[in-house]
Amino acid sequence: MFIIVDERELVTSGYARHFGQEGISSAGFCSGQFIDWVDSAIETDMLAVEAFLIGECPEREELPKLIRKRSQAPVIAMNEAPSLEQTLGLFTAGVDDVVRKPIHVKEILARVYAIRRRAETRRDYAVVGPMQVFFDGRDPLVRGEAFSLPRRERRILEYFVMNRGRRLTKSQIFNAVYGLFDDVVEENVVESHVSKLRKKLRARLGYDPIDSQRFLGYMLIG
């Protein structure tokens, strides 16, 4: 889930559309709405956010400070024009990176994953048993061979791997994959996606690597 903050609805909706084409859920806010949301969002909602993108808004150097009180997710500022003074001010305010618009969402994703690797000393992939799962949108490998998945199932597998050893609720998975504010898709769709993913993994691996406990959620175990 990516959060985009910009006063212009055309910008937030445009980036949301492009992220959607990459299978990434996102939501756009103007700065006032975002400040209200950060102050009131519950902890599980904040944990579902993978990165914050800050565009043009009056309080842009205050927003990173508010974010850091609630989240350690990467914060990237997007500048309309080159400005050393503005860039230095944003870094001082706590952003992780400053980029010049226009910028392709694939480059944004690459920068976010690079920031997370540095912060967590994590590579852009993880090995789980015979699986190699990437965090940059590529299909995983199983025993060295490509394992093609629909983008929602691939995102769920990535989310399981990122949280390996933790039990994840249906709500957490839904928020990470579809977004916190998607009221069109029913949360129960997660069960269908996980069921299909488990069936495919079981067929390829010869065992089920996802443990499920009623009322407790799912956990990647192997």
Side-chain angles (χ1 to χ4, degrees):
M1 174 78 182
F2 279 57
I3 298 292
I4 309 147
V5 186
D6 197 292
E7 297 304 293
R8 298 158 297 180
E9 193 275 336
L10 185 65
V11 172
T12 56
S13 62
Y15 273 104
R17 183 175 66 256
H18 290 306
F19 277 121
Q21 291 170 353
E22 299 297 324
I24 305 293
S25 61
S26 62
F29 293 91
C30 68
S31 58
Q33 293 172 329
F34 177 71
I35 291 170
D36 291 341
W37 179 75
V38 168
D39 285 340
S40 61
I42 62 175
E43 189 65 22
T44 53
D45 285 355
M46 295 302 297
L47 290 173
V49 179
E50 296 180 68
F52 298 87
L53 306 179
I54 302 176
E56 292 300 308
C57 53
E59 304 88 351
R60 68 193 315 238
E61 291 191 12
E62 297 302 316
L63 298 186
K65 301 171 186 176
L66 295 176
I67 292 169
R68 282 293 168 252
K69 293 178 181 179
R70 300 294 315 277
S71 173
Q72 293 303 310
V75 180
I76 296 180
M78 301 184 293
N79 279 345
E80 299 285 343
S83 168
L84 177 60
E85 181 179 359
Q86 191 176 63
T87 297
L88 293 176
L90 287 165
F91 276 120
T92 300
V95 304
D96 296 291
D97 200 358
V98 179
V99 299
R100 171 89 180 275
K101 294 173 61 182
I103 179 172
H104 197 284
V105 295
K106 287 186 177 180
E107 182 177 343
I108 293 174
L109 292 173
R111 289 176 179 272
V112 167
Y113 294 134
I115 292 166
R116 286 166 53 180
R117 285 199 305 273
R118 291 195 297 268
E120 303 172 18
T121 319
R122 186 172 68 191
R123 297 173 291 183
D124 59 0
Y125 68 90
V127 176
V128 181
M131 294 189 296
Q132 186 175 359
V133 179
F134 300 95
F135 304 121
D136 58 5
R138 285 181 286 170
D139 280 322
L141 302 177
V142 176
R143 299 186 178 94
E145 296 184 1
F147 181 48
S148 181
L149 291 170
R151 65 183 188 183
R152 298 298 187 192
E153 293 172 30
R154 188 184 69 236
R155 287 285 293 162
I156 289 173
L157 179 59
E158 292 172 1
Y159 191 61
F160 276 135
V161 172
M162 289 177 185
N163 294 275
R164 188 180 180 189
R166 293 175 52 195
R167 194 164 292 280
L168 303 171
T169 66
K170 186 168 61 176
S171 294
Q172 287 175 304
I173 298 170
F174 180 87
N175 289 343
V177 176
Y178 281 96
L180 305 172
F181 311 100
D182 194 327
D183 55 3
V184 177
V185 180
E186 293 289 334
E187 195 173 277
N188 286 335
V189 75
V190 168
E191 294 181 11
S192 175
H193 284 316
V194 173
S195 176
K196 292 175 182 177
L197 175 61
R198 293 177 74 177
K199 183 177 180 180
K200 293 172 184 176
L201 288 173
R202 190 161 48 237
R204 180 66 74 92
L205 298 172
Y207 63 92
D208 186 354
I210 299 173
D211 177 69
S212 61
Q213 295 287 333
R214 193 176 183 186
F215 304 123
L216 297 178
Y218 305 93
M219 182 171 63
L220 187 68
I221 57 175

